[in-house]
């Protein structure tokens, strides 16, 4: 006999069930009782809203009701009636309750009170049962769905690029090694180094930092593609915006130049944010209030001028500011902030890499809107970016968002074989090993471009969560791989 003949609570708010006998299953958020009756607030994860269960002790065994404590999982049969109380339009009058799983009140860590995000991170296996994390993960789902919908509707193909690779796409040397060799006793070559020829893949391999290079290969046959997968970076940065394992969306398009790339990125970001606004109203309203409460505990100069919902609507409805790195350096160099030495890293000369304090100054203080920065010095960008005619800069773009900093990185790609190999040699990227990448420049090369969107940074922006560890189910950061 099939067990799952339940109605989801979400449906009770959108369809008329009055007078019908139904089964609900979910977790008790709170229970309050008086002599005559008990009220249980039930949540099943389908919506942020709890549903009220009315249990009459004449109908439901009192010993059983005692077990319906916060966190317990119940199966309830009953009839939907119009509610007399304020706060809900209908409620369920229970005729039969079964306790599917008890939750010992002495031991259950999630009590109906406010818990800190730090505490909830330590019990990430249970935090999905809170309002905040329920909302965050429903919004995360909606955004992931919107990503696929956007590209599918535009005729892009979803490519699954490998997770184990032999290349370091960004050339930053921040890879996690993949090996089956015995670490205590690895096979050695004559000169004493590890003999990877005896390893599983007969060569050195690592977890991918980006699917871009393989994405480029696919775009050179399929035209317009995107990847959406996990990427891994062994950078030892303990910030609120870095993970060791994060999800990245990387579209790659044949026949696109740098400006086409910028247009696509802006349109795409607006689309997915708008999708969340239209499809996650309850959750975003909750998160908006939550963010507003959190703002009150911040120093006045660190509070954002707009609330969460206002911020999302603003991004959807306004053009992003586009300027070159060179123009940005001028703005930063001449800013009062720089002159008064308020930056930790002062901006003195052209060529320096922008720190997140600089990015946030441009976005939050100077332009007060998302910014697309283009044409960075080639020295601070990856080997594959197309070289501009000035000999100094490349056709890069970073998109900077308020409260987040860099959310997108991308570029037009260098499609000219000679320029590419020359740059690879300058940057000590092994051209022989990358023969397959260079082949796309040998055979049927064409201008093409692409970018990478850090999915968790997008979820952070849309949910207003300050720490990236709170927008991925089980975060991986230096020192943390629990769950
Ligand atoms: O700027 P990045 O390193 O660019 C690339 O990987 C290119 N291959 C993308 C491309 O052109 N196809 O990373 C892209 C984005 C960043 O803008 C940021 O949003 C995110 O990925 N990101 C991280 N997110 C969380 N934790 C980290 N450690 C991240 N590193 C990058
Ligand atoms: Mg970047």
């Amino acid at each position: 006999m099939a067990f799952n003949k339940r109605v989801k609570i979400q449906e009770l708010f959108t369809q008329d069930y009055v007078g019908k006998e139904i089964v609900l299953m979910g977790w008790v958020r709170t229970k309050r009782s008086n002599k005559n009756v008990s009220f249980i607030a039930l949540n099943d994860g389908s919506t942020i809203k709890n549903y009220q269960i009315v249990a009459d002790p004449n109908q439901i065994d009192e010993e059983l009701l005692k077990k319906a404590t916060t966190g317990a999982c119940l199966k309830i049969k009953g009839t939907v009636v119009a509610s007399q109380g304020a706060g809900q339009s209908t409620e369920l009058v229970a005729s039969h309750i079964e306790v599917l799983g008890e939750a010992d009140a002495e031991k259950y860590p999630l009590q109906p009170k406010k818990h800190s995000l730090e505490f909830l991170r330590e019990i990430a296996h249970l935090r999905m049962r809170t309002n905040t994390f329920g909302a965050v993960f429903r919004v995360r789902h909606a955004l992931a769905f919107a990503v696929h919908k956007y590209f599918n509707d535009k005729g892009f193909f979803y490519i699954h690029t490998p997770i184990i690779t032999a290349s370091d796409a960004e050339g930053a040397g921040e890879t996690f090694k993949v090996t089956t060799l015995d670490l205590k006793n690895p096979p050695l070559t004559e000169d004493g180094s590890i003999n990877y020829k005896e390893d599983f893949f007969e060569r050195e391999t690592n977890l991918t930092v980006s699917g871009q290079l393989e994405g480029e290969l696919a775009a050179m046959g399929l035209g317009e593609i995107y990847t959406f997968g996990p990427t891994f970076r062994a950078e030892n940065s303990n910030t609120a915006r870095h993970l060791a394992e994060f999800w990245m969306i990387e579209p790659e398009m044949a026949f696109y130049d740098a400006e086409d790339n910028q247009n696509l990125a802006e349109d795409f970001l607006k689309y997915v944010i708008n999708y969340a606004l239209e499809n996650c109203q309850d959750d975003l309203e909750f998160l908006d209030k939550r963010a507003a409460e959190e703002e009150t505990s911040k120093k006045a100069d660190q509070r954002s001028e707009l609330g969460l919902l206002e911020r999302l609507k603003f991004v959807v409805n306004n053009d992003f500011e586009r300027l070159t790195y060179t123009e940005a350096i001028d703005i930063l160099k001449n800013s009062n902030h720089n002159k008064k030495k308020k930056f930790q890293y002062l901006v003195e000369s052209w060529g320096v890499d922008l720190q997140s304090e600089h990015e946030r100054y441009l976005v939050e203080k100077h332009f007060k809107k998302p910014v697309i920065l283009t044409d960075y010095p080639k020295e601070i960008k990856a080997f594959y970016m197309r070289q501009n005619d000035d000999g100094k800069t490349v056709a890069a773009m970073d998109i900077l968002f308020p409260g987040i900093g860099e959310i997108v990185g991308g570029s037009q790609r260098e499609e000219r074989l000679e320029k590419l190999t020359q740059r690879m040699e300058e940057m000590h990227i092994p051209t022989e090993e990358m023969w397959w990448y260079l082949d796309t420049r040998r055979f049927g090369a064409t201008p093409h471009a692409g970018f990478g969107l850090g999915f968790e940074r997008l979820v952070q922006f849309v949910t207003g969560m300050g720490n990236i560890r709170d927008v991925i189910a089980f975060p991986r950061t230096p020192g943390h791989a629990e769950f």
Side-chain angles (χ1 to χ4, degrees):
M1 211 173 51
F3 178 64
N4 191 356
K5 291 220 172 113
R6 64 164 178 143
V7 169
K8 287 192 189 177
I9 289 176
Q10 197 267 339
E11 296 168 44
L12 294 172
F13 292 99
T14 51
Q15 293 168 37
D16 185 10
Y17 274 93
V18 174
K20 290 196 180 131
E21 181 168 78
I22 60 165
V23 171
L24 293 182
M25 297 189 216
W27 293 269
V28 176
R29 285 295 176 82
T30 55
K31 183 182 67 180
R32 54 192 174 87
S33 304
N34 57 33
K35 283 201 300 290
N36 308 322
V37 66
S38 291
F39 296 103
I40 296 168
L42 195 77
N43 190 284
D44 69 0
S46 62
T47 164
I48 192 153
K49 293 180 194 152
N50 299 331
Y51 199 68
Q52 176 153 293
I53 314 297
V54 185
D56 180 343
N58 294 325
Q59 186 77 30
I60 308 289
D61 177 36
E62 243 171 299
E63 284 309 303
L64 195 144
L65 268 177
K66 273 193 197 141
K67 291 182 186 161
T69 52
T70 295
C73 191
L74 306 184
K75 175 179 177 182
I76 304 162
K77 198 168 171 185
T79 307
V80 179
V81 299
S83 175
Q84 277 129 39
Q88 66 275 325
S89 64
T90 68
E91 59 196 16
L92 190 76
V93 176
S95 58
H96 188 259
I97 295 182
E98 185 184 332
V99 180
L100 296 175
E102 292 178 39
D104 184 343
E106 300 280 296
K107 296 190 185 130
Y108 186 57
L110 270 182
Q111 290 306 316
K113 61 162 200 174
K114 205 171 165 71
H115 294 292
S116 74
L117 294 173
E118 288 78 12
F119 171 71
L120 291 173
R121 239 169 262 152
E122 286 166 18
I123 53 163
H125 59 303
L126 297 173
R127 66 180 178 169
M128 306 274 182
R129 302 185 189 183
T130 64
N131 283 335
T132 298
F133 287 94
V136 165
F137 289 109
R138 280 185 297 271
V139 172
R140 183 179 165 117
H141 160 79
L143 287 168
F145 183 78
V147 166
H148 288 298
K149 179 156 170 51
Y150 178 84
F151 287 121
N152 181 65
D153 290 355
K154 271 189 129 48
F156 282 57
F157 300 107
Y158 180 25
I159 297 291
H160 299 95
T161 49
I163 293 186
I164 301 173
T165 75
S167 76
D168 173 3
E170 295 302 299
E174 291 167 337
T175 59
F176 289 99
K177 306 277 169 260
V178 174
T179 180
T180 54
L181 291 179
D182 179 358
L183 293 182
K184 284 200 200 109
N185 187 21
L188 300 178
T189 58
E190 270 167 24
D191 67 8
S193 55
I194 294 175
N195 186 0
Y196 286 101
K197 286 233 161 59
E198 290 189 28
D199 203 348
F200 188 91
F201 296 107
E202 299 178 10
R203 62 189 303 172
E204 251 187 290
T205 51
N206 51 266
L207 296 178
T208 188
V209 297
S210 157
Q212 176 196 321
L213 302 189
E214 291 89 353
E216 282 186 57
L217 311 180
M220 291 300 105
L222 289 158
E224 294 171 340
I225 64 93
Y226 69 106
T227 70
F228 186 173
T231 49
F232 307 87
R233 300 209 181 165
E235 48 189 339
N236 202 359
S237 27
N238 252 310
T239 79
R241 280 180 295 278
H242 286 87
L243 290 166
E245 174 177 307
F246 64 100
W247 288 68
M248 186 153 53
I249 295 131
E250 297 184 272
E252 193 69 36
M253 298 76 63
F255 321 122
Y256 267 52
D257 70 6
E259 195 181 335
D260 298 319
N261 200 31
Q262 292 156 30
N263 293 343
L264 180 79
E266 181 169 343
D267 186 59
F268 166 60
L269 283 166
K270 287 176 171 171
Y271 176 90
V272 293
I273 293 167
N274 192 51
Y275 184 90
L277 278 169
E278 287 182 352
N279 292 278
C280 306
Q281 279 170 6
D282 293 342
D283 288 323
L284 288 179
E285 270 161 31
F286 171 84
L287 291 166
D288 182 66
K289 288 203 193 82
R290 192 196 159 275
E293 264 167 44
E294 213 174 66
E295 285 291 288
T296 57
S297 65
K298 288 188 188 161
K299 287 194 206 128
D301 66 328
Q302 283 173 10
R303 287 185 202 153
S304 52
E305 287 169 28
L306 302 179
L308 175 64
L309 284 170
E310 289 171 320
R311 213 151 56 224
L312 300 182
K313 287 177 192 157
F314 182 89
V315 167
V316 168
N317 294 323
N318 288 280
D319 287 344
F320 296 3
E321 189 72 33
R322 299 185 188 191
L323 69 158
T324 64
Y325 164 92
T326 305
E327 289 164 331
I329 288 291
D330 279 342
I331 291 171
L332 289 167
K333 214 162 59 182
N334 297 320
S335 67
N336 279 333
H337 221 75
N338 201 49
K339 287 179 185 156
K340 289 187 187 154
K341 301 199 177 354
K342 282 200 199 153
F343 286 128
Q344 195 187 339
Y345 295 90
L346 293 181
V347 180
E348 269 145 10
S349 56
W350 191 93
V352 294
D353 204 351
L354 296 183
Q355 304 295 324
S356 76
E357 57 174 342
H358 306 133
E359 299 175 341
R360 295 185 64 167
Y361 177 86
L362 288 170
V363 174
E364 287 155 35
K365 300 271 182 312
H366 190 83
F367 290 110
K368 297 184 191 284
K369 50 157 65 171
V371 168
I372 306 184
L373 272 189
T374 63
D375 304 293
Y376 282 71
K378 64 177 182 199
E379 276 73 25
I380 58 173
K381 288 292 181 189
F383 71 91
Y384 51 72
M385 296 193 179
R386 193 174 198 278
Q387 295 162 54
N388 289 329
D389 292 340
D390 61 12
K392 294 193 313 194
T393 61
V394 286
M397 76 158 170
D398 274 10
I399 303 188
L400 316 178
F401 259 34
I404 303 290
E406 181 191 333
I407 196 164
V408 161
S411 77
Q412 186 172 338
R413 315 306 187 191
E414 183 56 83
E415 83 283 12
R416 296 162 296 186
L417 181 64
E418 263 138 63
K419 295 225 172 222
L420 181 59
T421 36
Q422 188 200 345
R423 189 74 193 126
M424 286 171 80
E425 275 156 17
E426 281 167 16
M427 295 178 79
H428 309 292
I429 313 274
T431 48
E432 263 158 55
E433 266 176 43
M434 304 263 294
W435 61 274
W436 42 272
Y437 187 67
L438 293 170
D439 257 9
T440 55
R441 277 69 175 171
R442 290 189 184 103
F443 310 118
T446 176
H448 64 287
F451 62 84
L453 167 67
F455 187 55
E456 283 74 19
R457 293 192 188 173
L458 172 71
V459 182
Q460 266 193 289
F461 180 72
V462 175
T463 59
M465 299 300 285
N467 195 313
I468 199 163
R469 295 167 178 82
D470 296 328
V471 298
I472 186 163
F474 304 107
R476 301 293 179 242
T477 54
H480 295 275
E482 187 75 282
F483 310 110

